[in-house]
Amino acid sequence: MVCAHRSVGSLTLISASLSKSAHCLFMCRTVMGFLGRLYFFSMGFRVVVKGKQASSAEAPILAVAPHSSFFDAIVCIVAGLPSTVSRSETLATPIFGRFLRCLQPVLVSRKDPDSRKNTILEISNRAKSGGRWPQVLIFPEGTCTNRSCLITFKQGAFVPGVPVQPVLLRYPNKLVSGTCSLKALLLRTLCQLYTTVEIEFLPPHIPTEEEKQNPNKFAQSVRTVMAKSLCVPVTDHTFEDCRLMISAGELTLPMEAGLVEFTKISRKLDLKWDNVKKELENFATIACSCKGGRIRIEEFANFLKLPISPALQELFSLFDRDGDGTIDFREYVIGVTVLCRPANTEEVIQTAFKLFDIDEDNNITLEEFAGILRSAVGVCDLNVSKLFNEIDADGSGHITYDEFRSFALSHPEYAKLFTTYIELQRYQGLLGEGPDSDAISHCCNDSPSDHQEDSNSDKKDD
């Protein structure tokens, strides 16, 4: 009997504690909501709300787009201060960190390698809580844009497979633009009597069974609905493209050189961010002298330290997928990944070294190197001393296998030349011929048209 009374008393205390916590949370949200509205009102914002916000049970996740500036935070105030996805470091910010903590945010840590997985798991748990958690507000683009289109949505909001309510943001003002800097944005805002912000709640998007199993398709469906309502196009560019644009600018390339539709190209070629970033650095090494950030055949030949020849023109055409006479970064990434790196195997490197090492003494002299390379490139008076000296890292006057291998791995562009020449030698071997002077003469007299069919066959669709 005493135990029963104690149990009842404990439950009463727990219930009272939860009630008190809920009351405090409600008060915090009410006060913060009021202060937030007062702040934006003092800044001259006039908010126009369209549509009806769904409850947490009806749509656990709010997907807001387009995201263009820090002013977009006003949607959090209008939506009743839902939980947001925020960096854990933000909690340490004086005053603001305290307010943010009251919103029960989903925290992301850059130091934790499992942070992305844990964040998606936390979003899923809250989204599937049956309304016990506040709604989670997410900007699925993952970065700021100029509102002229909708870029690829990240999948975090769509992995749980629960209904998502699309929320549109519009700034129908003449002066305020999402493309300007922070100072310019503030100045233009203050130059207007008031700034109008339109927030439209679209009907919740209930995923089909197929969309529940495929977050990418779910994200595309929601993005299509939002783009149609905004009357803007969609694009396959992503947040990673923005990072590549910034990196391109740091490498003195035009920023648009970094636009490669990262998600699309990484999915098809199985590339990671670090791989593409490294290729951008390699591309910048070749294109540093090009004002437009596109490689012409002259820069391509200069980088390879080879003259413009039929063999080099054929290799260049394999990279130049649209046939405009230049190679942009996207074409370079595809060319290196699809054509060169698969050909740059240990077996190919060993075979190529043996071809150059005519006297089989495990060293390649300048004469051996020049003779085979002239045959491979098809230029009889080719000067290869600069290329030879670059491969000969220790300056000993001959190339060892380790030097040859190290250079080949760091310069995959040569792999296609090697494999083409090796295939030519094997073909001549089948015919009972050798790499004699007639073969070299034949290579020197070849034209690009002779290899056009092979060139076309090596080009793969995006």
Side-chain angles (χ1 to χ4, degrees):
M1 195 72 175
V2 174
C3 291
H5 280 297
R6 286 181 179 176
S7 298
V8 171
S10 299
L11 289 174
T12 303
L13 287 173
I14 293 172
S15 177
S17 177
L18 290 174
S19 177
K20 185 178 179 180
S21 299
H23 180 69
C24 289
L25 185 59
F26 174 77
M27 289 299 295
C28 286
R29 289 180 179 275
T30 302
V31 172
M32 290 177 62
F34 173 76
L35 292 176
R37 289 177 182 273
L38 184 63
Y39 169 76
F40 280 105
F41 178 78
S42 65
M43 289 282 290
F45 281 86
R46 185 173 71 93
V47 182
V48 178
V49 180
K50 299 180 180 180
K52 180 183 177 182
Q53 182 180 354
S55 67
S56 179
E58 294 172 324
I61 296 176
L62 301 175
V64 185
H67 184 24
S68 59
S69 74
F70 66 94
F71 288 153
D72 296 343
I74 198 171
V75 73
C76 297
I77 305 298
V78 174
L81 297 176
S83 298
T84 58
V85 179
S86 179
R87 290 183 299 166
S88 57
E89 296 85 355
T90 311
L91 295 181
T93 307
I95 302 176
F96 179 75
R98 292 280 184 178
F99 287 140
L100 184 63
R101 194 183 297 273
C102 293
L103 299 180
Q104 299 172 297
V106 178
L107 297 177
V108 180
S109 174
R110 292 182 175 179
K111 298 178 181 179
D112 184 4
D114 298 324
S115 180
R116 183 178 179 275
K117 180 179 67 176
N118 294 335
T119 299
I120 293 177
L121 181 62
E122 180 63 20
I123 292 174
S124 296
N125 290 337
R126 296 191 183 193
K128 296 176 180 179
S129 67
R132 291 191 298 273
W133 280 95
Q135 288 174 300
V136 180
L137 186 146
I138 298 175
F139 292 95
E141 290 176 295
T143 187
C144 291
T145 67
N146 61 5
R147 299 195 296 266
S148 62
C149 63
L150 291 183
I151 64 174
T152 300
F153 283 3
K154 289 185 171 294
Q155 298 180 18
F158 309 97
V159 170
V162 299
V164 172
Q165 182 168 30
V167 183
L168 308 179
L169 274 173
R170 298 186 183 92
Y171 292 85
N173 308 282
K174 292 184 178 180
L175 292 180
V176 179
S177 171
T179 60
C180 52
S181 64
L182 177 60
K183 291 183 179 179
L185 184 62
L186 289 173
L187 180 62
R188 293 182 183 185
T189 302
L190 294 174
C191 286
Q192 297 183 127
L193 184 61
Y194 59 85
T195 301
T196 301
V197 183
E198 290 184 0
I199 300 175
E200 182 178 358
F201 292 91
L202 298 180
H205 184 98
I206 301 174
T208 63
E209 287 301 320
E210 183 181 0
E211 289 172 343
K212 288 180 180 179
Q213 301 299 322
N214 189 342
N216 183 53
K217 185 175 181 62
F218 188 7
Q220 289 179 350
S221 299
V222 174
R223 184 177 64 151
T224 300
V225 171
M226 298 177 76
K228 185 176 181 181
S229 298
L230 290 165
C231 298
V232 298
V234 297
T235 175
D236 286 329
H237 295 106
T238 61
F239 170 60
E240 284 73 19
D241 286 290
C242 297
R243 293 175 65 188
L244 285 172
M245 287 178 66
I246 295 172
S247 298
E250 293 173 348
L251 293 169
T252 68
L253 290 171
M255 292 188 70
E256 60 270 18
L259 293 175
V260 295
E261 295 183 331
F262 177 84
T263 298
K264 182 178 179 181
I265 197 173
S266 62
R267 189 185 303 120
K268 291 194 173 184
L269 301 181
D270 193 25
L271 291 175
K272 304 299 182 184
W273 158 257
D274 292 337
N275 302 130
V276 179
K277 177 67 165 55
K278 184 178 179 180
E279 298 300 355
L280 180 63
E281 294 171 356
N282 295 337
F283 179 82
T285 302
I286 308 175
C288 59
S289 60
C290 309
K291 293 182 179 179
R294 301 174 72 91
I295 301 172
R296 297 167 300 181
I297 192 168
E298 291 80 8
E299 287 83 22
F300 193 67
N302 185 58
F303 172 73
L304 296 178
K305 296 178 176 61
L306 297 172
I308 298 175
S309 63
L312 191 71
Q313 288 174 335
E314 179 185 353
L315 178 61
F316 185 84
S317 70
L318 293 175
F319 280 83
D320 181 17
R321 303 173 68 80
D322 58 7
D324 65 350
T326 62
I327 301 172
D328 60 24
F329 178 51
R330 178 185 172 84
E331 291 173 326
Y332 177 80
V333 171
I334 294 174
V336 169
T337 306
V338 174
L339 300 173
C340 298
R341 293 204 185 280
N344 206 27
T345 62
E346 194 72 33
E347 181 185 358
V348 168
I349 295 174
Q350 290 175 356
T351 304
F353 183 82
K354 290 177 181 178
L355 282 173
F356 281 104
D357 183 19
I358 298 175
D359 58 6
E360 299 182 359
D361 62 349
N362 294 322
N363 288 297
I364 301 174
T365 63
L366 177 60
E367 291 73 19
E368 291 173 327
F369 186 74
I372 298 298
L373 201 58
R374 285 167 184 163
S375 176
V377 176
V379 177
C380 298
D381 57 349
L382 177 64
N383 186 350
V384 297
S385 57
K386 287 185 178 180
L387 180 58
F388 181 88
N389 291 333
E390 185 173 346
I391 303 175
D392 181 19
D394 59 3
S396 61
H398 58 264
I399 299 173
T400 64
Y401 176 74
D402 289 339
E403 290 174 331
F404 186 83
R405 179 178 180 276
S406 176
F407 183 84
L409 291 175
S410 61
H411 295 75
E413 296 85 0
Y414 288 93
K416 193 62 182 175
L417 287 174
F418 289 158
T419 53
T420 300
Y421 181 70
I422 291 171
E423 289 169 3
L424 176 63
Q425 296 304 302
R426 288 172 177 170
Y427 176 71
Q428 290 177 344
L430 290 173
L431 296 179
E433 301 175 6
D436 54 16
S437 58
D438 291 336
I440 296 177
S441 176
H442 173 72
C443 290
C444 293
N445 294 327
D446 245 352
S447 65
S449 59
D450 296 331
H451 303 284
Q452 191 62 42
E453 185 177 346
D454 292 337
S455 173
N456 291 334
S457 66
D458 277 332
K459 291 192 177 183
K460 298 185 179 181
D461 295 334
D462 288 355

